Amino acid sequence: MESTFSSPAEAALQREAGSAGLRTPLGDLDRVYELERIVGFVRDLGCQRVALQFPDQLLGDAGAVAARLEEATGSKMFVLGDAAYGSCCVDVLGAEQAGAQALVHFGPACLSPPARPLPVAFVLGQRSVALELCAKAFEAQNPDPTAPVVLLSEPACAHALEALATLLRPRYLDLLVSSPALPLPAGSLNPKPEPLERFGRRFPLAPGRCLEEYGAFYVGGSEAISDADTDPDLSRLLLGWAPGRPFSSCCPDTGRTQDEGVRAGRLRARRRYLVERARDARVVGLLAGTLGVARHREALAHLRNLTQAAGKRSYVLALGRPTPAKLANFPEVDVFVLLACPLGTLAPQPSGSFFRPVLAPCELEAACNPAWPPPGLAPHLTHYADLLPGSPFHVPLPPPDSELWDAPDVSLITGDLRPPPAWKPSDDPGCSALTLRPPLELAESSPAASFLSSRSWKGLQPCLGQTPVTGAVSGRRGIAIAYEDEGNS
């Protein structure tokens, strides 16, 4: 039976941590996991204790990789598995518990900056790419040689983008190649001019150019998984890309292409529906989906201030990986907001759907901030750091006397007129959620109490004044396996 606030222990024991039949041959370990580069990384830092983080599907190779690295470097290796939140994030907390001086992350990564400074090396993998087939597919999707196009890929195919661009550049004049936004080595100088960083990638744009001018050609995915909704990296790109620009994907094995415009429209429509649900909500649950990504505390405080300004009550819940059974323990919550990395926020939901929708921080911002641009003009930001002060996308809340707070708003789901916020944002940190009533009495506004009063069963009745008062008596003594009054049975 699943615990109230945590995943059951049986789930961790029953989950397969890598299939033995899919283990990498020993002769290919050096190439697949780039062990020569990792050995140089460890030796340059002079680390004696290094943490190795593997996703579940690669844990079958963890022992062999750790043994090879220990033999080559003489350093102690620690294998980190079953991360508390998502395997795409750097598990700095687990590395600190092991006393590690550096960390090596294997497999798909969101490339979010860690909350604590720690030397990190990423091994994204090198998936084989049929360059000739992909080049023919690109030419079929982009007949105009002067149209600006960006080459994108899943992280494991990023190594082949430059080779693909070499085949295409003799004909295509405005071709841009993206690259993973890996952290720069210590002591290296930032390139001038600094490339644009978005979606976990770097875009070396020419002066005066912007990313919204370009179409996209994505290399990645698999024909066995035809739904882009199951790929959080592709979903992030489809949601954040300019709606008016073409976007196509290509399977790196077969060269089969697909226009992603319909899927992008479906994803945007789903997100607009979630914004409407957030506007109708009175109680918001803020799910702490990461503790290892930078600025997560600042983002949590921003979301709490945002919900208070919109007249909503918020509760912070730290439940690890959200599951339907965990969130079902909070029926008074209308919507949940998952504060996690971009890939964790857009990760596919489990087979049992949640009884309340789970939103991204950007959707809560669009629902609660009246100064946020309308749909079609506002970008869909997949990283919560883009919402915070200092980001070029940050939109501050209007002043309390702004007319934006009193603008009429009609729910597109229920058709009802939404009331204005019960209270406005205040600069006083000690201000509480109190509403002034005409008879000059203060009454606390509690949506959770209103929800409880509407339920047919409210728990055990206290029966105040109806229970006789008795003196305290001694209870049972001992431990659960053998109380003193049970004898020696």
Side-chain angles (χ1 to χ4, degrees), residues 161-162 164-173 175-177:
L161 287 188
E162 282 293 346
L164 179 60
T166 302
L167 297 177
L168 298 173
R169 279 198 174 109
R171 178 182 175 188
Y172 292 89
L173 306 178
L175 196 62
L176 188 66
V177 180

Side-chain angles (χ1 to χ4, degrees), residues 90-387:
V90 175
D91 190 5
V92 292
L93 300 179
E96 288 183 353
Q97 292 177 357
Q101 301 166 312
L103 185 144
V104 182
H105 185 284
F106 297 91
C110 60
L111 302 179
S112 301
R116 296 176 177 83
L118 183 71
V120 181
F122 291 91
V123 178
L124 303 176
Q126 294 187 3
R127 181 181 176 183
S128 60
V129 178
L131 295 177
E132 295 291 341
L133 296 178
C134 292
K136 293 180 180 179
F138 182 93
E139 294 173 354
Q141 290 290 327
N142 302 274
D144 185 3
T146 61
V149 183
V150 177
L151 289 181
L152 303 166
S153 73
E154 65 179 36
C157 298
H159 66 95
L161 287 188
E162 282 293 346
L164 179 60
T166 302
L167 297 177
L168 298 173
R169 279 198 174 109
R171 178 182 175 188
Y172 292 89
L173 306 178
D174 198 353
L175 196 62
L176 188 66
V177 180
S178 65
S179 60
L182 298 172
L184 298 175
S188 62
L189 298 177
N190 293 331
K192 298 295 182 179
E194 295 185 6
L196 174 68
E197 286 195 17
R198 288 193 66 186
F199 314 114
R201 295 164 171 85
R202 292 191 177 97
F203 300 90
L205 293 170
R209 302 296 299 273
C210 60
L211 194 59
E212 288 72 19
E213 302 174 7
Y214 287 81
F217 185 80
Y218 179 85
V219 180
S222 173
E223 292 185 356
I225 304 177
S226 59
D227 192 356
D229 298 349
T230 61
D231 186 353
D233 184 55
L234 182 55
S235 298
R236 169 171 61 169
L237 291 168
L238 293 177
L239 285 170
W241 209 257
R245 306 305 301 171
F247 196 112
S248 58
S249 63
C250 174
C251 178
D253 303 321
T254 63
R256 182 180 178 182
T257 59
Q258 184 171 356
D259 186 1
E260 300 292 348
V262 176
R263 290 179 177 176
R266 186 174 68 246
L267 288 173
R268 294 190 185 101
R270 169 66 178 171
R271 295 297 158 177
R272 284 195 290 268
Y273 166 76
L274 294 178
V275 171
E276 288 296 315
R277 290 293 300 267
R279 287 173 177 164
D280 291 340
R282 298 183 60 196
V283 181
V284 179
L286 304 178
L287 302 177
T290 180
L291 297 177
V293 180
R295 306 186 72 181
H296 68 276
R297 295 180 182 272
E298 185 179 350
L300 187 60
H302 173 75
L303 295 181
R304 296 186 66 181
N305 181 55
L306 194 65
T307 54
Q308 180 183 6
K312 306 178 188 297
R313 181 65 59 88
S314 64
Y315 298 93
V316 179
L317 307 173
L319 309 177
R321 296 180 183 179
T323 62
K326 294 179 186 178
L327 302 189
N329 292 282
F330 308 95
E332 67 274 12
V333 176
D334 297 321
V335 295
F336 294 94
V337 179
L338 180 58
L339 185 67
C341 71
L343 300 187
T345 303
L346 299 174
Q349 298 181 357
S351 58
S353 59
F354 294 100
F355 83 110
R356 291 287 189 269
V358 180
L359 286 69
C362 177
E363 289 141 16
L364 183 67
E365 182 85 25
C368 298
N369 189 348
W372 191 259
L377 299 179
H380 190 282
L381 307 176
T382 56
H383 197 349
Y384 60 76
D386 294 331
L387 304 174

Side-chain angles (χ1 to χ4, degrees), residues 461-484:
Q461 302 299 325
C463 300
L464 297 177
Q466 304 177 18
T467 304
V469 179
T470 60
V473 297
S474 299
R476 305 180 72 180
R477 303 178 60 184
I479 59 177
I481 195 174
Y483 290 103
E484 292 181 357

